[in-house]
């Protein structure tokens, strides 16, 4: 709240990070903005984690909660905030010249306690640590404990556990950071995308290598129907026909281990071909 980050003219800050940060500043400082939840779309390789470390400054946050979908990502985010880590984003990218730095703490297992959280400006964790009706953190933390919640891989945030977390801190602002605006289960994001950095720009400006889509069409597909354990092999034409008429077939084909192995095998063969070429 009392430090000014070096972002605007900082050559270490990437274009999408700078633009996303400015959009968050504009949003946070506009009294006419009443939405509680927004999204930031940054393709992989464009600095999503670094932008997450900048976001608390945009809101002049008193205490921020950073939530990752898993343990590994939570650890990476914790390193970005950790003053003792050489990978700390504020030092590595010269966002802040010297301390004091925002005080981080990580919720991981039973190593953190309430006193640690009370002293922290940023709390980093994975969603599994905050699940369940009897969760000790959700039971003991007051509703106004966080004024900002940042969700990494925010397309997961329509899931039940993420929704319960938001409901527990009803006054906190929620920002979802995602690399793609689409969910695999086709659920629609309930929040407005505040900023989106396109793949086209990412390639054009050198953050992402040029991409080429390769469509894999195995001649046959193996799967096991959900209603029994019999393995069936069908042609691609049969897959299309059954997919249009048989709902159980559609469910079986996308959940069967045999189906997934077929796709993996075809992908590996195509990768080997590309490498050889």
């Amino acid at each position: 709240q009392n430090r000014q980050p070096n972002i605007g003219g900082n050559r270490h800050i990437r274009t999408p990070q700078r633009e996303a940060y400015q959009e968050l500043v504009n949003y946070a400082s506009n009294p006419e903005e009443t939405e509680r939840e927004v999204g930031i779309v940054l393709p992989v390789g464009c600095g999503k984690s670094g932008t997450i470390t900048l976001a608390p400054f945009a809101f002049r946050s008193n205490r921020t909660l950073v939530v990752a979908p898993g343990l590994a990502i939570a650890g990476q985010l914790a390193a970005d905030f950790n003053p003792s880590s050489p990978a700390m984003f504020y030092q590595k990218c010269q966002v802040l010249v010297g301390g004091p730095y925002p005080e981080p703490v990580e919720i991981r297992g039973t190593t953190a306690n309430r006193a640690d959280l009370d002293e922290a400006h940023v709390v980093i964790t994975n969603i599994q640590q905050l699940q369940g009706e009897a969760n000790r953190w959700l039971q003991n933390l007051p509703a106004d404990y966080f004024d900002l919640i940042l969700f990494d891989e925010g397309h997961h945030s329509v899931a039940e556990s993420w929704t319960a977390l938001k409901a527990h801190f009803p006054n906190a602002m929620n920002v979802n950071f995602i690399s793609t605006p689409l969910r695999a289960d086709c659920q629609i994001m309930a929040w407005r995308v505040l900023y989106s950095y396109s793949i086209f720009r990412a390639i054009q400006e050198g953050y992402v290598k040029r991409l080429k889509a390769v469509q894999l069409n195995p001649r046959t597909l193996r799967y096991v129907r959900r209603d029994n354990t019999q393995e069936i092999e069908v042609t691609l034409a049969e897959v299309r026909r059954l997919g249009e008429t048989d709902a159980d077939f559609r469910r079986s084909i996308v959940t069967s281990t045999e189906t997934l192995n077929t796709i993996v095998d075809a992908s590996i063969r195509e990768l080997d071909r590309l490498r050889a070429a």
Side-chain angles (χ1 to χ4, degrees):
Q1 290 181 324
N2 58 15
R3 298 214 61 186
Q4 185 62 42
N6 174 26
I7 297 173
N10 188 340
R11 62 183 179 86
H12 300 288
I13 301 297
R14 298 179 177 185
T15 299
Q17 293 173 326
R18 185 180 302 109
E19 292 179 352
Y21 175 77
Q22 190 56 53
E23 288 295 333
L24 290 172
V25 170
N26 295 343
Y27 175 82
S29 60
N30 185 352
E32 296 183 2
E33 292 284 10
T34 57
E35 291 171 284
R36 184 185 158 213
E37 187 166 18
V38 294
I40 299 291
V41 180
L42 295 175
V44 173
C46 293
K48 179 158 55 74
S49 295
T51 309
I52 288 173
T53 70
L54 299 177
F57 285 106
F59 291 88
R60 315 309 290 176
S61 172
N62 182 57
R63 185 182 290 112
T64 297
L65 175 64
V66 179
V67 185
L71 202 59
I73 295 177
Q76 294 166 11
L77 289 168
D80 281 332
F81 283 102
N82 184 0
S84 64
S85 169
M88 183 203 191
F89 188 79
Y90 300 134
Q91 297 184 71
K92 181 179 68 175
C93 293
Q94 300 177 20
V95 174
L96 297 174
V97 180
Y101 299 109
E103 183 69 29
V105 67
E106 188 177 8
I107 296 177
R108 187 187 289 261
T110 58
T111 57
N113 57 51
R114 173 64 186 270
D116 294 325
L117 270 63
D118 290 344
E119 294 297 319
H121 302 106
V122 181
V123 178
I124 307 103
T125 191
N126 53 299
I127 187 62
Q128 291 80 11
Q129 301 288 342
L130 302 175
Q131 285 179 327
E133 294 181 4
N135 184 274
R136 68 184 182 110
W137 297 112
L138 295 187
Q139 283 185 332
N140 297 325
L141 296 179
D144 61 351
Y145 196 75
F146 298 106
D147 57 8
L148 178 64
I149 304 178
L150 307 177
F151 294 96
D152 192 10
E153 300 298 338
H155 52 285
H156 295 288
S157 69
V158 295
E160 183 179 348
S161 53
W162 300 67
T163 303
L165 175 61
K166 295 174 191 177
H168 188 80
F169 302 105
N171 298 320
M173 180 64 204
N174 298 304
V175 182
N176 298 278
F177 291 83
I178 58 178
S179 54
T180 172
L182 301 177
R183 280 176 59 97
D185 62 6
C186 299
Q187 288 199 53
I188 298 173
M189 306 302 178
W191 29 262
R192 171 163 62 104
V193 173
L194 195 65
Y195 173 81
S196 180
Y197 187 70
S198 69
I199 284 285
F200 176 79
R201 284 189 67 192
I203 295 172
Q204 192 176 45
E205 297 179 21
Y207 297 121
V208 175
K209 292 182 178 180
R210 294 191 175 275
L211 305 177
K212 179 183 178 182
V214 176
Q215 184 170 342
L216 302 177
N217 289 316
R219 286 187 297 274
T220 62
L221 204 60
R222 297 187 308 276
Y223 79 103
V224 174
R225 291 196 74 100
R226 286 151 53 96
D227 52 8
N228 60 47
T229 58
Q230 181 183 2
E231 182 176 314
I232 303 170
E233 186 166 7
V234 292
T235 66
L236 211 56
E238 188 72 357
V239 168
R240 293 192 182 99
R241 187 186 68 79
L242 289 171
E244 293 174 356
T245 60
D246 188 336
D248 187 65
F249 171 82
R250 288 196 299 271
R251 288 190 291 270
S252 298
I253 206 77
V254 298
T255 59
S256 168
T257 300
E258 288 71 16
T259 301
L260 301 180
N261 286 340
T262 300
I263 296 169
V264 169
D265 290 343
S267 301
I268 291 172
R269 285 196 299 273
E270 178 63 16
L271 284 170
D272 287 341
R273 187 192 68 77
L274 290 170
R275 284 173 177 160

